[in-house]
Amino acid sequence: MEHKWVSVFCHCNPLNLRALLLIFFVLLCSNLSQSVDLYPDDKASVLLFRSCLQDPSQSLSSWVGSDCTNWTGITCENQTGRVVSVNLTNMNLSGQIHPNLCKLPFLEHLVLSGNNFTCTIPLCFGTLRSLKTLHLGYNGFYGTVPDTLMRLWQLKELVLNGNKDLGGLIPWWVGNFSAQLEKLDMGFNSFHGEIPESLLYLKSLKYLDLGNNNLSGTLSDFHQSLVFLNLGSNQFSGTLPCFSACVQSLRVLNLANNSVMGGMPTCMASLQALKHLNLSFNHLSYELSPRLVFSEKLLVLDLSNNDLSGRLPSKIAETTEKSGLVLLDLSHNRFSSEIPLKITELKSLQALFLSNNLLVGEIPARIGNLTYLQVIDLSHNLLSGSIPLNIVGCFQLLALILNNNNLSGEIQPELDALDSLKILDISNNKISGEIPLTLAGCKSLEIVDFSSNNLSGTLSDAITKWSNLRYLSLAQNEFSGNLPSWLFTFQVIRMMDFSGNKFSGFIPDGNFNMSINFKNGELDKMQREPFGTMHNVDTKVFIIVTGSTELSFSYVLSSVVGIDFSNNVLDGEIPGGLFGLRGLQYLNLSHNFLQGRVPDLEKMRSLRALDISHNSLSGHIPGNISSLQDLTLLDLSYNCFSGFVTKKQGYWRFPGAFAGNPDLCLESSDGVCDPASLPVVPGNALEGEEDEGWISVWVFCLSAFLSFYFGGLALFCSPRARNYILQTKA
């Protein structure tokens, strides 16, 4: 495109031009510097309000003098100096709200959102008759909404969201106290009961958010032209209405995480302005009608976690070159067809979730036509065939999740074209062959799970190119050869699982402290939970849709920090450095042919589970484990340990851990060696402690599964059920 510059000349007297510019500059400066003196009574009221506040950030330090334009958050009427707006959003304020704040008769906007006020909503707010905006969201207000607010007949916006102890019934008057009310946000509170009928008929209402409360009753239709409606995460029941009064206006509809039942009415497709529809986590059933085709304006469609069945719709939304679905989530239903080819015509699609259904057939070869795709999750289905080579057309792909299907064939070398890929999970399939050397090109990989397939060969140096690797599982395959010396060079690795293969030779004695997670001993909240809740790896994906068609991707990996080399044919001694990792929580070297003595455990202060059973380890039981307070599971059984284990060593908590070591005895209650105290079968001495459990091999066969759930922050989020977040702009 050419850019043409056009010059325009004005024939003026240079002196006159200078004079005009000078006058303009003077007028501009005088206008910018014009001060507004605060009305004395209003100034006194505002200062009394400040006197009761704690202001650790000194946000209100500018409240000195009388010039209103210098007072942070205060706006005055230019002629009279009366305060018309108080906006103190996100200023870290706390304390009590002085009644004199209500002595501002011309106040039109009061915004106290995002602070730390912990009190009831002042009754005197009802005296602010000029008020048009009242925002009290995300504080600690508690109690009920005072009836005095019904006097605010000019109010246009009432925002009370994010006050978890604010509840009771939704006031009966909320639908008829102001004929100008356009926005009502009472989400993320503790309201219960039903929606007042008057609210269903308030003609001025455009924005209604009652999400994340304890509201109940039958879902009713609304009779005004709503633009935004969020009733998600409540206890509404009944069937879906048609929202016929909102056909031309409704842009966002969130009814997720309720008890809505019945089928999906075709009239929902008549909502021509709809951009975001979330009906997930309900009890919707039956097949989707082929007449249910949404307009090209729909960006996000989430019908996940219902009981929908039958064939996947061949066409679910119109699409054009410039508009169409950005995110489609039909996961966790009972769809039982093949993946329709029409789905590859959704050219704008950036995230596709069809996991946890009963889908059959092959992955469509033309899926590579979806060049904007960033996330594909087809896991937990009955898909067969190979991974289509055409998938490399999705060159922006960040997550490819195909685990728990019946896929076969080999990993194609051409997959290296997906150089932005962060998550690759093809576990629990029937994929064979070797890991292609070309996968070194996938340098962005952070989570790789190839477990439970028929892969073979040795580990190549190509894997070292995955420098951001955080989780790697090759478990339950046919890999062989020696463990390479570079194995512990990944700096951010959290979990490494090579169990159930045919690796042989020594465990490499390398620089074990390369990993930040292995060498640090800091545990987050998740990792303090009982070990039994962490048998699987969980990855939470955050999908953010902003503006019109932009999607950004991030994830949070939740897993123990661990190493699993169990069920191989490793021999030699255990490297001492491996037992010096302060951040390691889980170590399983069981069912190998390891020999020699076991290094001391004292440095492994984060250790929660250790299994070195079924080897040929010998010598005395190492050191003292009394300081390892987090140690929950321990198995040293079926080795060649000998000697006397004293109570002072701290092993008395795990008497069943020593079974199958005939030359070993434990200190009895009278201080003598008692070989009879060792159970023949590990775990017999731990009966009655099932909560913590005995360490079995199955406990440690960690196979990462990536579970993707879909929800919305503010619009679509349910903290009780959602594992990834969709954030939108209405």
Side-chain angles (χ1 to χ4, degrees):
M1 178 184 293
E2 288 188 0
H3 295 271
K4 294 184 178 180
W5 294 90
V6 179
S7 298
V8 179
F9 295 92
C10 179
H11 298 282
C12 300
N13 185 304
L15 292 176
N16 290 341
L17 182 60
R18 290 175 185 173
L20 288 171
L21 288 173
L22 181 61
I23 293 170
F24 175 78
F25 183 77
V26 171
L27 289 173
L28 180 63
C29 290
S30 64
N31 186 58
L32 290 174
S33 62
Q34 183 179 4
S35 62
V36 178
D37 285 340
L38 265 165
Y39 191 78
D41 290 350
D42 288 1
K43 178 181 178 181
S45 295
V46 171
L47 288 176
L48 276 173
F49 165 64
R50 188 185 68 172
S51 69
C52 294
L53 299 180
Q54 281 77 55
D55 181 16
S57 303
Q58 295 295 302
S59 301
L60 308 182
S61 59
S62 63
W63 288 15
V64 292
S66 297
D67 187 354
C68 179
T69 60
N70 293 331
W71 286 41
T72 301
I74 302 296
T75 304
C76 299
E77 203 279 323
N78 286 339
Q79 301 300 320
T80 64
R82 304 306 298 252
V83 174
V84 294
S85 176
V86 176
N87 187 347
L88 306 180
T89 306
N90 296 322
M91 292 190 177
N92 196 27
L93 303 173
S94 60
Q96 297 298 308
I97 297 177
H98 196 281
N100 272 46
L101 183 63
C102 302
K103 294 182 178 180
L104 300 173
F106 293 91
L107 189 65
E108 296 181 0
H109 306 283
L110 177 57
V111 182
L112 302 178
S113 301
N115 286 289
N116 301 304
F117 293 110
T118 52
C119 57
T120 58
I121 297 175
L123 298 176
C124 69
F125 279 179
T127 64
L128 296 169
R129 302 297 179 85
S130 300
L131 212 58
K132 296 177 180 178
T133 301
L134 179 58
H135 288 197
L136 304 177
Y138 292 100
N139 279 283
F141 289 108
Y142 56 84
T144 59
V145 179
D147 288 341
T148 55
L149 296 189
M150 74 170 73
R151 302 171 189 163
L152 304 177
W153 59 275
Q154 296 190 68
L155 204 64
K156 291 185 176 181
E157 294 186 8
L158 178 58
V159 177
L160 305 175
N161 62 319
N163 292 281
K164 63 185 179 64
D165 294 322
L166 184 65
L169 297 174
I170 295 179
W172 60 270
W173 46 262
V174 75
N176 52 26
F177 79 105
S178 172
Q180 302 182 53
L181 190 67
E182 296 179 359
K183 180 176 182 177
L184 177 62
D185 189 347
M186 303 173 76
F188 289 93
N189 290 305
S190 299
F191 292 104
H192 62 269
E194 299 187 8
I195 298 176
E197 187 176 3
S198 61
L199 204 54
L200 306 177
Y201 294 91
L202 180 57
K203 294 298 182 183
S204 60
L205 194 63
K206 302 296 181 186
Y207 182 108
L208 178 61
D209 191 343
L210 301 177
N212 296 85
N213 281 284
N214 300 306
L215 300 171
S216 58
T218 302
L219 192 61
S220 301
D221 207 345
F222 286 77
H223 301 276
Q224 63 271 81
S225 299
L226 289 171
V227 174
F228 179 101
L229 177 60
N230 179 19
L231 303 179
S233 299
N234 281 288
Q235 299 166 29
F236 292 113
S237 57
T239 57
L240 285 172
C242 286
F243 301 99
S244 53
C246 310
V247 166
Q248 301 298 327
S249 60
L250 194 60
R251 296 179 184 175
V252 174
L253 176 59
N254 178 26
L255 303 176
N257 199 24
N258 281 287
S259 298
V260 182
M261 59 186 66
M264 206 40 198
T266 56
C267 60
M268 296 290 290
S270 300
L271 300 171
Q272 292 300 307
L274 200 61
K275 291 186 176 182
H276 302 272
L277 176 60
N278 188 0
L279 303 176
S280 62
F281 289 94
N282 278 289
H283 304 299
L284 298 175
S285 55
Y286 308 117
E287 296 187 26
L288 295 180
S289 169
R291 292 184 294 149
L292 185 72
V293 180
F294 293 93
S295 80
E296 71 279 0
K297 292 182 180 178
L298 189 67
L299 300 177
V300 175
L301 176 60
D302 186 2
L303 304 179
S304 66
N305 290 276
N306 280 287
D307 199 28
L308 298 168
S309 59
R311 300 184 62 82
L312 281 177
S314 60
K315 185 176 184 180
I316 200 164
E318 301 288 351
T319 184
T320 66
E321 288 297 324
K322 296 184 178 180
S323 62
L325 277 176
V326 173
L327 190 148
L328 175 62
D329 192 347
L330 302 177
S331 65
H332 294 268
N333 281 288
R334 293 192 299 116
F335 293 112
S336 55
S337 64
E338 296 183 352
I339 300 175
L341 287 176
K342 284 279 188 182
I343 213 165
T344 63
E345 296 178 5
L346 298 172
K347 296 296 181 65
S348 301
L349 203 60
Q350 298 182 41
L352 175 63
F353 298 92
L354 300 178
S355 65
N356 293 87
N357 280 288
L358 302 169
L359 300 177
V360 296
E362 298 187 0
I363 300 171
R366 286 192 289 178
I367 197 167
N369 294 345
L370 302 176
T371 56
Y372 292 106
L373 267 180
Q374 295 187 35
V375 180
I376 300 176
D377 186 359
L378 307 179
S379 62
H380 294 274
N381 279 291
L382 304 171
L383 299 172
S384 56
S386 59
I387 301 172
L389 183 57
N390 184 260
I391 204 168
V392 299
C394 307
F395 61 91
Q396 300 187 57
L397 207 58
L398 300 173
L400 178 59
I401 302 99
L402 304 175
N403 58 291
N404 291 85
N405 280 287
N406 293 318
L407 299 174
S408 56
E410 298 186 354
I411 301 173
Q412 298 294 331
E414 290 79 4
L415 286 181
D416 69 325
L418 302 176
D419 55 4
S420 298
L421 202 62
K422 294 180 180 289
I423 299 175
L424 176 58
D425 186 355
I426 57 172
S427 62
N428 288 283
N429 281 289
K430 300 175 182 177
I431 295 172
S432 56
E434 299 187 5
I435 299 176
L437 293 176
T438 57
L439 282 194
C442 299
K443 296 180 180 180
S444 300
L445 278 172
E446 298 177 9
I447 297 178
V448 177
D449 193 346
F450 292 164
S451 64
S452 299
N453 280 287
N454 299 315
L455 295 167
S456 58
T458 59
L459 296 184
S460 72
D461 293 353
I463 296 177
T464 62
K465 303 300 183 182
W466 305 340
S467 57
N468 298 317
L469 203 60
R470 302 179 65 199
Y471 178 89
L472 175 62
S473 179
L474 307 178
Q476 309 304 315
N477 279 286
E478 301 293 328
F479 291 108
S480 58
N482 294 335
L483 294 176
S485 58
W486 46 258
L487 200 58
F488 300 102
T489 60
F490 300 104
Q491 294 189 5
V492 292
I493 194 82
R494 286 184 65 88
M495 182 68 197
M496 187 181 297
D497 187 355
F498 292 175
S499 62
N501 284 283
K502 298 176 182 177
F503 290 113
S504 57
F506 302 125
I507 298 174
D509 190 1
N511 185 1
F512 295 103
N513 281 318
M514 284 295 291
S515 168
I516 297 172
N517 295 301
F518 286 173
K519 70 180 180 181
N520 290 338
E522 298 178 2
L523 302 178
D524 57 33
K525 183 179 180 181
M526 180 280 304
Q527 296 162 336
R528 289 289 184 184
E529 294 176 355
F531 191 84
T533 67
M534 297 187 294
H535 289 172
N536 293 296
V537 175
D538 184 21
T539 301
K540 300 178 182 180
V541 170
F542 296 81
I543 304 291
I544 302 176
V545 179
T546 58
S548 55
T549 59
E550 294 296 320
L551 180 148
S552 63
F553 164 92
S554 62
Y555 72 91
V556 174
L557 172 67
S558 301
S559 81
V560 291
V561 178
I563 297 172
D564 192 341
F565 293 158
S566 64
N567 285 278
N568 282 284
V569 287
L570 299 171
D571 56 23
E573 296 188 359
I574 299 174
L578 193 59
F579 275 59
L581 298 176
R582 295 181 301 169
L584 202 65
Q585 297 172 286
Y586 157 65
L587 178 62
N588 188 0
L589 305 177
S590 67
H591 291 267
N592 281 287
F593 298 93
L594 299 171
Q595 307 164 5
R597 295 178 176 272
V598 177
D600 287 340
L601 307 179
E602 285 90 342
K603 293 181 180 179
M604 304 180 75
R605 64 185 188 189
S606 302
L607 193 64
R608 307 197 65 189
L610 174 65
D611 188 353
I612 53 175
S613 67
H614 294 271
N615 281 286
S616 300
L617 299 166
S618 58
H620 295 290
I621 296 296
N624 191 313
I625 63 167
S626 299
S627 61
L628 304 181
Q629 298 299 318
D630 292 319
L631 190 61
T632 303
L633 303 174
L634 178 68
D635 192 350
L636 310 179
S637 64
Y638 296 100
N639 280 285
C640 302
F641 292 117
S642 59
F644 183 53
V645 181
T646 66
K647 289 186 175 181
K648 291 182 179 180
Q649 289 178 269
Y651 288 99
W652 57 269
R653 292 184 289 157
F654 310 99
F658 304 108
N661 288 279
D663 296 329
L664 192 67
C665 63
L666 305 181
E667 181 182 6
S668 64
S669 56
D670 55 2
V672 299
C673 177
D674 184 9
S677 64
L678 293 175
V680 177
V681 180
N684 285 0
L686 293 181
E687 290 178 4
E689 298 184 13
E690 294 179 7
D691 288 341
E692 295 298 333
W694 178 250
I695 250 190
S696 302
V697 173
W698 65 267
V699 169
F700 291 103
C701 291
L702 292 185
S703 175
F705 72 91
L706 307 176
S707 299
F708 292 86
Y709 303 95
F710 171 73
L713 182 61
L715 312 185
F716 303 141
C717 187
S718 163
R720 298 189 291 267
R722 295 326 233 167
N723 283 337
Y724 70 86
I725 293 177
L726 168 72
Q727 179 177 342
T728 66
K729 291 183 179 179

